[in-house]
Amino acid sequence: MKYYRSHILVGINEAAKQAGVDVFVNKLQDQISTAGLADEINVLETGPLAFFGRGICLTILPENVNYENVAIEDIVELVEEHLLKGRPVHRLMLDSAAQFKPKFNYDRRIVLKNSGIIDPESIDEYLGAGGYEAWEKALLNMQPADIVNEVKASGLRGRGGAGFPAGLKWSFTAPLNAEQKYVVVNADEGEPGTFKDRLIMEGDPHQLLEGIMICARAIGASMAYIYIRGEYKLCIARLEKAIKQCHAYGILGRNIFDSGFDLDIGIKIGAGAYVCGEETALIESLEGNRGNPRWKPPFPGVKGLWQYPTVVNNVETLANVPFIIKNGAAEYRQFGTDECTGTKVYTILGDVAYPGLCEVDMGATLRTVINEYGGGMKKGFKFKAALVGGAAGVILSDRMLDVKMDFVSLNQYAAVLGSGAILVMNEHQSIVDMLWSILRFFRHESCGKCSPCRIGTQHLYDLISKIRKGEGSMDDVEMLHTIALTMKQTSFCALGQSPIMAIASALDNFRDEFIAITKK
Amino acid sequence: MTTAKAFTNEQYAKLGAVIDQKKDLRNPLIEILRIAQEIFGYLPVEVQEFVASRMNIPVSKVHGVVTFYNFFTMTPKGKHIINVCTGTACYVKGALRVIQMLTEQLNVGMGETTMDGLFTLSAVRCVGACSLAPVIVIGEDTFGRIEKSDQVKEIINRYS
């Protein structure tokens, strides 16, 4: 293997693509060759980097200098100054511009530990980082029941929103006798403000595949499907490539590692419907139907895809599994709190200095996440509220900044961790307006199967529109709450049960704003 | 602009071949409709009827699926579809302003197609590019931080 004195990691994500990163990398390589450094400097295209800068971002190792918003015009200076003379270009550095040392937290990462470090399109780099060791262990040294028990002992909870214990879910399906079982990966990420799964798949697709494999072995499935949004083109391309590589290496296919176990993974592309995030609706959609949710029970674990036992898990949940199997449940429990173990990947957005994603131990406070990982509020702005958990989430005020971010602690505020989206709003933004946008979203995404949700979401939208225009009364505001509560009690699936969260938290924390606008 | 285009026999033959090849797979309806939309550009009732009879399933089932998913459309679309993200992050960052700029410059409303058939203006749910908010997506290209009408003009010109 060739030895390089320095590595330039180029973060390839949608933002970088928009900034023209493909052309940039070519020009950078040309310039490095021109300077005679082609044998010394390695340019590596990787997934999202540890930090979230603007435009094209680079990390140069081993000195660990981070650049953001680098343009093609900067290449000559960068090569001359940094690579030839060893003097970092301060005006492009992330830290000098932000006056803020971003915390990368690599020593506490599980899901994103390889993201931004290895080339996500190379299986060899994943193997080099210890990849597929857990799969080998699960397949050759562990019985399916051992795997289920290990995941149970780890305390891993589903990261899709509700936080149901993953090991318990598996344990319903594992002992069933069936001629076919399935693993289905929910990658239909559609919660507004959430793109964690996209970055997990863009940054480290093999880790997800490894998690799927271990789950398949645990429950005895020989086929797995990744149900993914059609818009996630880069993810789809990388996953397809990764699956192909696994087949070539004998990691997937027939009689894997001479164990007698067969497994294949297929990709199914969704056609756009928020409700398909609900597991039974997702299964309906996989079967080629309208994505209307099914009655439970029977749960998918017993009768799922084509009526066979099926485990549906979120991308982030499965990405945690290789670590658990490789290092053991006890090691995993070192992360997070007793009741909510492990880490959580957040997307922090809105009026913070550094919007982006981060992975933090469960139980970190909202304040910590915003200040240390999001860089605090954008200069000149004051914190007003944070929408936590996407549209099916809650609006928290500054009084709740010290709430611990885990499934149990958030419960006391009737809040949920949900998808892990944190949308920060400044003092000039209107809560009524935000609620309008959320309720408009629910109206659009209701599938229409059950009346409380189909009719309720329309009424909520009509009411909030009236209030927003200044034509509503406090009676209308109370009616919002009443309708949403009825929907919670009577709707068929989680979609219709969700609007109450945003409404109740908005009314609890920002009632004055509703009083003010209805008096106009 | 919903004047029905006449479809060619080749288009139907192509779709028919796809259906024959896939119809024995388990419930390939969504996949077939995807390809049908690629071939015809949209899915008017006559295409849905063709799919249904060739697959030997009720038209109501086909229609149900077509109307359920955002991806499928029953009206012809422009050459380029301008998708404005109206997810929460983009909304807060001014998606409505972006829509206003686009409707003014293109002289069409939401869901409509320009007279020259070049652009269709449409809204999508969160595209997951929230750090770039507000975002519009045209084909494979994503444009972020749309704040000024000059930016909008420049982007439209690229595709005109």
Side-chain angles (χ1 to χ4, degrees):
Chain A
M1 201 172 145
K2 213 160 164 183
Y3 178 80
Y4 294 100
R5 120 174 116 82
S6 199
H7 296 264
I8 304 178
L9 306 183
V10 187
I12 312 277
N13 58 14
E14 293 289 344
K17 286 217 169 247
Q18 191 217 342
V21 72
D22 298 336
V23 182
F24 178 88
V25 169
N26 286 337
K27 292 251 156 92
L28 180 63
Q29 260 154 347
D30 289 350
Q31 191 63 35
I32 289 172
S33 303
T34 311
L37 296 173
D39 292 331
E40 290 178 46
I41 312 279
N42 180 28
V43 177
L44 185 71
E45 294 176 52
T46 176
L49 294 174
F51 60 98
F52 227 82
R54 290 166 295 160
I56 298 171
C57 297
L58 312 173
T59 295
I60 301 190
L61 298 174
E63 54 267 51
N64 202 10
V65 170
N66 301 294
Y67 291 114
E68 73 158 348
N69 213 7
V70 186
I72 287 173
E73 299 80 62
D74 300 322
I75 289 177
V76 175
E77 185 183 353
L78 205 64
V79 172
E80 291 274 314
E81 287 295 311
H82 191 140
L83 300 180
L84 270 178
K85 298 178 190 158
R87 294 195 295 239
V89 183
H90 280 279
R91 65 179 182 89
L92 297 171
M93 273 167 65
L94 176 74
D95 316 13
S96 63
Q99 304 282 313
F100 141 76
K101 236 357 197 184
K103 224 166 146 174
F104 296 157
N105 213 26
Y106 264 104
D107 54 329
R108 299 295 285 178
R109 283 188 180 198
I110 294 173
V111 173
L112 298 171
K113 64 175 186 296
N114 293 328
S115 191
I117 291 183
I118 66 167
D119 177 357
E121 301 199 359
S122 157
I123 189 171
D124 294 325
E125 294 209 7
Y126 184 68
L127 289 169
Y132 292 116
E133 281 174 24
W135 174 224
E136 193 186 342
K137 183 175 168 188
L139 197 53
L140 303 180
N141 304 333
M142 290 173 88
Q143 290 303 311
D146 302 336
I147 304 173
V148 173
N149 286 335
E150 199 67 34
V151 174
K152 256 189 188 173
S154 74
L156 174 67
R157 286 169 180 250
R159 300 291 197 253
F164 191 79
L168 193 60
K169 197 182 219 179
W170 296 9
S171 73
F172 299 142
T173 305
L176 300 177
N177 277 320
E179 57 175 303
Q180 181 64 269
K181 293 181 193 174
Y182 295 102
V183 177
V184 170
V185 185
N186 185 348
D188 189 48
E189 187 171 53
E191 196 67 65
T194 309
F195 51 98
K196 66 177 178 72
D197 294 340
R198 200 191 84 209
L199 297 182
I200 292 168
M201 292 184 282
E202 281 177 8
D204 198 3
H206 281 289
Q207 186 172 228
L208 171 62
L209 296 186
E210 189 173 5
I212 297 170
M213 293 171 195
I214 295 167
C215 176
R217 159 85 172 154
I219 65 158
S222 59
M223 187 68 213
Y225 292 104
I226 304 173
Y227 184 88
I228 188 168
R229 288 184 68 176
E231 290 91 338
Y232 283 9
K233 296 195 173 76
L234 187 59
C235 294
I236 295 169
R238 285 189 171 162
L239 284 167
E240 279 173 348
K241 194 164 180 181
I243 291 170
K244 233 182 235 162
Q245 290 169 341
C246 285
H247 276 289
Y249 277 53
I251 293 171
L252 277 176
R254 298 209 153 269
N255 193 18
I256 303 163
F257 306 153
D258 287 329
S259 64
F261 189 76
D262 304 335
L263 177 64
D264 198 3
I265 301 177
I267 294 175
K268 289 274 179 183
I269 296 167
Y274 174 70
V275 71
C276 289
E278 203 278 344
E279 56 181 3
T280 59
L282 191 155
I283 287 171
E284 282 289 323
S285 180
L286 263 180
E287 293 184 4
N289 305 320
R290 287 170 69 93
N292 289 339
R294 290 179 185 169
W295 179 255
K296 294 193 268 193
F299 287 87
V302 181
K303 279 190 172 166
L305 186 58
W306 294 304
Q307 298 300 313
Y308 291 117
T310 304
V311 164
V312 184
N313 272 145
N314 175 266
V315 168
E316 188 186 346
T317 315
L318 289 168
N320 273 287
V321 170
F323 180 96
I324 294 169
I325 296 303
K326 191 171 157 186
N327 303 294
E331 182 66 27
Y332 188 78
R333 294 193 79 96
Q334 300 293 313
F335 294 80
T337 66
D338 281 350
E339 283 169 298
C340 298
T341 54
T343 58
K344 180 79 191 82
V345 180
Y346 298 103
T347 43
I348 317 173
L349 297 159
D351 299 308
V352 291
Y354 277 86
L357 94 161
C358 64
E359 181 175 353
V360 188
D361 275 52
M362 282 274 189
T365 64
L366 181 58
R367 191 189 298 277
T368 308
V369 176
I370 292 173
N371 288 346
E372 292 182 23
Y373 299 90
M377 291 300 288
K378 207 188 266 177
K379 222 173 145 195
F381 287 110
K382 230 180 102 198
F383 178 90
K384 174 176 181 176
L387 175 70
V388 175
V394 287
I395 302 171
L396 300 177
S397 73
D398 57 354
R399 291 192 305 278
M400 292 147 185
L401 273 171
D402 290 307
V403 63
K404 284 186 178 159
M405 302 284 284
D406 63 64
F407 295 107
V408 178
S409 308
L410 279 166
N411 235 335
Q412 50 181 304
Y413 292 97
V416 288
L417 199 51
S419 58
I422 301 173
L423 181 70
V424 177
M425 298 168 67
N426 71 50
E427 77 271 28
H428 303 301
Q429 280 166 342
S430 154
I431 299 293
V432 177
D433 203 34
M434 159 72 95
L435 195 58
W436 177 80
S437 120
I438 291 172
L439 296 179
R440 187 188 52 152
F441 173 78
F442 278 120
R443 182 196 61 158
H444 185 256
E445 295 298 343
S446 174
C447 82
K449 178 178 174 125
C450 75
S451 318
C453 178
R454 181 181 66 242
I455 301 168
T457 49
Q458 179 66 47
H459 274 295
L460 291 178
Y461 174 73
D462 291 344
L463 279 170
I464 192 73
S465 299
K466 189 175 159 198
I467 295 166
R468 181 167 168 260
K469 276 191 246 163
E471 294 165 3
S473 65
M474 277 314 276
D475 286 345
D476 292 326
V477 175
E478 296 308 329
M479 185 55 84
L480 270 183
H481 191 266
T482 310
I483 293 175
L485 198 63
T486 310
M487 287 167 65
K488 177 171 173 55
Q489 289 156 348
T490 55
S491 289
F492 192 85
C493 83
L495 198 153
Q497 294 164 9
S498 295
I500 185 68
M501 301 212 271
I503 292 172
S505 57
L507 290 180
D508 284 351
N509 299 323
F510 299 95
R511 182 167 283 269
D512 292 352
E513 233 172 89
F514 289 88
I515 295 174
I517 198 163
T518 50
K519 270 198 184 144
K520 262 186 201 165
Chain B
M1 298 296 102
T2 46
T3 41
K5 275 189 251 171
F7 296 126
T8 62
N9 287 336
E10 283 111 81
Q11 282 174 310
Y12 279 114
K14 202 168 160 193
L15 178 59
V18 169
I19 295 173
D20 292 343
Q21 184 206 334
K22 292 192 183 274
K23 75 175 167 196
D24 295 328
L25 297 173
R26 251 174 174 165
N27 288 317
L29 181 56
I30 291 178
E31 219 175 306
I32 287 172
L33 288 174
R34 235 174 218 292
I35 297 168
Q37 188 161 303
E38 254 168 49
I39 296 172
F40 291 92
Y42 67 113
L43 298 170
V45 172
E46 54 170 305
V47 173
Q48 295 177 35
E49 284 169 350
F50 178 83
V51 170
S53 74
R54 192 82 168 221
M55 287 181 74
N56 205 14
I57 56 175
V59 185
S60 61
K61 158 126 192 175
V62 177
H63 189 69
V65 169
V66 169
T67 51
F68 187 83
Y69 295 100
N70 283 337
F71 181 81
F72 300 121
T73 169
M74 288 178 59
T75 49
K77 292 273 150 110
K79 190 171 165 213
H80 304 290
I81 299 172
I82 303 179
N83 281 310
V84 184
C85 177
T86 53
T88 315
C90 286
Y91 179 74
V92 168
K93 289 281 186 182
L96 293 187
R97 217 172 46 235
V98 174
I99 291 174
Q100 200 192 341
M101 292 190 285
L102 282 163
T103 44
E104 278 168 13
Q105 295 199 18
L106 295 171
N107 204 14
V108 287
M110 262 306 176
E112 293 176 6
T113 304
T114 51
M115 294 293 277
D116 56 11
L118 260 184
F119 296 104
T120 299
L121 189 55
S122 126
V124 281
R125 65 192 182 128
C126 183
V127 296
C130 313
S131 60
L132 296 171
V135 165
I136 62 175
V137 181
I138 306 177
E140 309 267 303
D141 308 324
T142 307
F143 301 92
R145 298 203 175 87
I146 312 286
E147 271 142 20
K148 301 198 181 73
S149 58
D150 291 355
Q151 266 173 291
V152 174
K153 198 172 279 169
E154 200 257 320
I155 293 167
I156 292 173
N157 285 341
R158 274 199 223 182
Y159 293 89
S160 300

